[in-house]
Amino acid sequence: MTTPIPVTLLTGFLGAGKTTVLNRLLAARAGERIAIVENEFGAVSIDSDLIAPQAVTVVELANGCICCSVRGELSAALAGLLAQRDRGELRFERLLIETTGLADPGPVVHTFFWDEGLRERFCLDGVITLIDVCHAARQLDEEPVAAAQVAYADWLILTKTDLAPCAQLPDRLRRINARAEILDVGEIDQHWERLLD
């Protein structure tokens, strides 16, 4: 039996900086072959053009939230990546999924447990959620999906900390998810081994 491919889910509400962090990850892990599944909400792709060329391949899921209307498309995309890998057309050691800011990560996480074929070939390594400190309080008050993104996280990365005070935010985040570790985005380059393990 082959070793399952580790999967990292990168999530966070709109404007939290997911693509920027994704590119930092790709630069930090330049020797690792990483496939990217990127979900863009809208008819015109923007993010895939911004992803660094170190990615082995970028699969786009467009025009829908990955958590509901496109979940079948996610399973199909993952099966397609596996088929290409099995045929020797594509080599990658890790999969990273960047969700749209409107996605509830729950159904994405569950995909790796419900689908037997995916469950055997992939191992969900972790969920990294970015938190825009400038807008987090309002988003957590008004957007249930923002709280869901926090609740599913293994890691909470605070972004834009240079632009707004966030002294009370970590306590609020811990009330939603007491087990997730909280880091400032400025610290992540020293923690990639832990974030991806």
Side-chain angles (χ1 to χ4, degrees):
M1 185 172 168
T2 60
T3 303
I5 300 162
V7 179
T8 302
L9 179 61
L10 181 62
T11 188
F13 210 73
L14 297 169
K18 295 180 294 297
T19 302
T20 300
V21 168
L22 171 60
N23 283 323
R24 285 175 66 180
L25 180 154
L26 290 172
R29 307 285 287 221
E32 188 173 7
R33 298 182 62 82
I34 301 174
I36 309 293
V37 173
E38 192 261 342
N39 183 215
E40 180 69 31
F41 191 83
V44 178
S45 171
I46 298 170
D47 284 356
S48 64
D49 295 333
L50 303 176
I51 294 174
Q54 297 99 301
V56 171
T57 188
V58 178
V59 176
E60 292 181 61
L61 305 179
N63 277 334
C65 176
I66 199 172
C67 64
C68 45
S69 62
V70 188
R71 193 169 77 207
E73 189 180 346
L74 172 62
S75 293
L78 297 177
L81 285 172
L82 288 173
Q84 287 182 284
R85 189 175 190 256
D86 292 345
R87 291 191 302 265
E89 299 168 0
L90 188 62
R91 288 191 314 111
F92 60 95
E93 294 103 34
R94 172 175 297 280
L95 174 67
L96 199 141
I97 300 173
E98 179 191 354
T99 69
T100 176
L102 302 174
D104 179 340
V108 180
V109 168
H110 295 165
T111 298
F112 293 95
F113 298 99
W114 291 334
D115 187 315
E116 186 175 344
L118 298 179
R119 185 173 63 230
E120 292 176 0
R121 300 291 305 276
F122 290 107
C123 172
L124 185 62
D125 190 50
V127 178
I128 300 171
T129 299
L130 303 186
I131 309 293
D132 174 350
V133 301
C134 296
H135 304 287
R138 181 189 55 76
Q139 290 166 351
L140 291 169
D141 287 343
E142 299 174 6
E143 304 287 349
V145 73
Q149 291 169 351
V150 172
Y152 273 94
D154 296 299
W155 297 90
L156 296 167
I157 309 296
L158 304 180
T159 64
K160 304 179 186 176
T161 53
D162 56 330
L163 302 177
C166 61
Q168 307 304 317
L169 184 58
D171 289 337
R172 183 169 185 187
L173 297 174
R174 284 188 191 96
R175 286 194 301 273
I176 298 170
N177 182 342
R179 68 176 177 76
E181 188 163 343
I182 301 173
L183 293 174
D184 184 278
V185 72
E187 302 173 294
I188 61 173
D189 290 334
Q190 305 130 52
H191 293 281
W192 284 125
E193 294 301 322
R194 295 175 61 221
L195 285 164
L196 300 179
D197 185 22

